[in-house]
């Protein structure tokens, strides 16, 4: 893994945005995998600013988001789709038909996940997958466990994951859906390049386990060690427990 430690959250956001801009400059039809959460908020702000300044063009790009809550439609204000509309989609020239999301209210969630995998394949696969990380090591909604599921699938959220998503539901943990639809670790690892982003001291322990620990399904992000093109963008706080950097 190629670890890059930057001064602060803002520098991380700038570097990740620059990575996306370079990807689209080299390949205007690039397929991007996108995350939600607190971590990418500044990155999306930076991308909006770069777009407003004419430095990036999404006209031919395609996006696939990592995950969505099961039971929430895309127009529910706490849905990840709504998050993406607010933070990016409403502000840039990404064609609507090339924005892809797992449908949280699909009548058959398993079939919906198969549809998503097929859509990713039809688009030619993901060129650049951007990831946040849960403090337990989850990526997307692939929670730690004795085994992991390769393809997109319905997933049960760990209690801590529901707590950390409560802000989207006015702080009410009970309102956070207990299940979600998520790309699998195989879906993620099939991306041609991966960028993992983490900021803040709260992520320092899990970043150490991800980068320097054993490859284990108990820390799903550690499976990224198996991929040949992973960059990890960290601020000093998230990098503070790494020994080798
Ligand atoms: C959420 C999402 C993940 C995200 C992670 C970290 O539950 N499903 O895709 O990376 O948790 O979130 P945050 O950036 O808010 O710490």
């Amino acid at each position: 893994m190629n670890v890059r430690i930057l001064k602060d959250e803002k520098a991380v956001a700038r570097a990740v945005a620059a990575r996306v801009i370079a990807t689209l400059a080299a390949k205007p039809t690039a397929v991007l995998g996108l995350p939600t959460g607190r971590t990418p908020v500044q990155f999306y702000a930076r991308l909006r600013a770069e777009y407003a300044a004419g430095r990036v063009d999404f006209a031919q790009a395609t996006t696939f988001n990592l995950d969505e809550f099961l039971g929430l439609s895309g127009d529910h204000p706490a849905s990840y789709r709504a998050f993406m509309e607010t933070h990016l989609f409403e502000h840039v020239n990404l064609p609507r038909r090339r924005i892809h999301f797992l449908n949280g209210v699909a009548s058959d969630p398993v079939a919906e996940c198969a549809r998503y995998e097929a859509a990713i394949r039809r688009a030619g696969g993901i060129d650049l997958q951007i990831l946040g990380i849960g403090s337990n090591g989850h990526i997307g909604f692939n929670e730690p466990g004795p085994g992991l599921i390769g393809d997109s699938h319905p997933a049960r959220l760990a209690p801590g994951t529901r707590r950390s998503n409560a802000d989207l539901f006015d702080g009410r943990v009970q309102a956070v859906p207990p299940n979600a639809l998520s790309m699998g670790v195989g879906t993620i690892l099939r991306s041609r390049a991966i960028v993992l982003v983490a900021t803040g001291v709260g992520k320092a322990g899990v970043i150490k386990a991800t980068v320097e620990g054993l490859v284990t399904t108990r820390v799903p992000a550690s499976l990224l060690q198996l991929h040949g093109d992973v960059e990890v963008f960290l601020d000093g706080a998230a990098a503070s427990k790494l020994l080798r950097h």
Side-chain angles (χ1 to χ4, degrees):
M1 285 180 170
N2 180 5
V3 177
R4 293 184 52 189
I5 303 167
L6 296 142
K7 195 173 87 226
D8 53 22
E9 222 181 315
K10 216 170 168 166
V12 170
R14 240 192 336 261
V16 180
R19 185 73 168 76
V20 170
I21 292 167
T23 299
L24 285 170
K27 183 180 179 184
T29 59
V31 178
L32 305 173
L34 297 176
T36 51
R38 275 174 294 276
T39 312
V41 166
Q42 288 207 36
F43 150 64
Y44 289 130
R46 181 74 195 186
L47 220 44
R48 295 197 303 272
E50 298 279 11
Y51 174 74
R55 287 192 287 265
V56 58
D57 181 12
F58 295 92
Q60 300 180 68
T62 295
T63 66
F64 286 88
N65 261 80
L66 271 169
D67 45 17
E68 181 59 283
F69 292 110
L70 192 60
L72 296 196
S73 69
D75 53 13
H76 188 289
S79 69
Y80 282 171
R81 171 72 193 229
F83 172 99
M84 289 305 301
E85 292 292 341
T86 304
H87 290 276
L88 187 68
F89 298 156
E90 281 172 5
H91 309 275
V92 299
N93 67 336
L94 190 60
R96 296 262 131 196
R97 67 183 182 286
R98 286 208 288 272
I99 294 173
H100 298 272
F101 242 93
L102 283 154
N103 176 8
V105 291
S107 57
D108 181 343
V110 173
E112 170 60 8
C113 292
R115 179 198 68 78
Y116 207 58
E117 289 290 333
I120 294 171
R121 271 197 306 277
R122 247 194 333 271
I126 295 169
D127 290 299
L128 178 64
Q129 173 69 61
I130 299 168
L131 297 171
I133 183 170
S135 39
N136 63 358
H138 74 228
I139 45 177
F141 275 127
N142 295 278
E143 300 281 22
L148 293 170
I149 298 173
D151 287 345
S152 296
H153 60 279
R156 176 158 281 277
L157 273 51
T161 301
R162 291 183 74 196
R163 278 195 297 278
S164 66
N165 277 276
D167 280 358
L168 289 168
F169 299 83
D170 303 320
R172 291 172 304 127
V173 182
Q174 286 315 312
V176 180
N179 296 292
L181 300 179
S182 178
M183 285 188 193
V185 284
T187 325
I188 293 167
L189 290 171
R190 282 190 289 276
S191 308
R192 281 182 272 279
I194 298 174
V195 164
L196 177 68
V197 189
T199 54
V201 72
K203 298 283 170 70
V206 79
I207 284 298
K208 181 179 172 55
T210 295
V211 174
E212 296 180 343
L214 295 175
V215 175
T216 167
T217 62
R218 300 288 175 189
V219 182
S222 70
L223 272 80
L224 299 173
Q225 291 181 31
L226 303 175
H227 192 282
D229 187 353
V230 180
E231 278 181 290
V232 185
F233 288 83
L234 306 171
D235 65 357
S240 58
K241 292 197 173 149
L242 293 180
L243 294 178
R244 295 197 292 269
H245 293 87

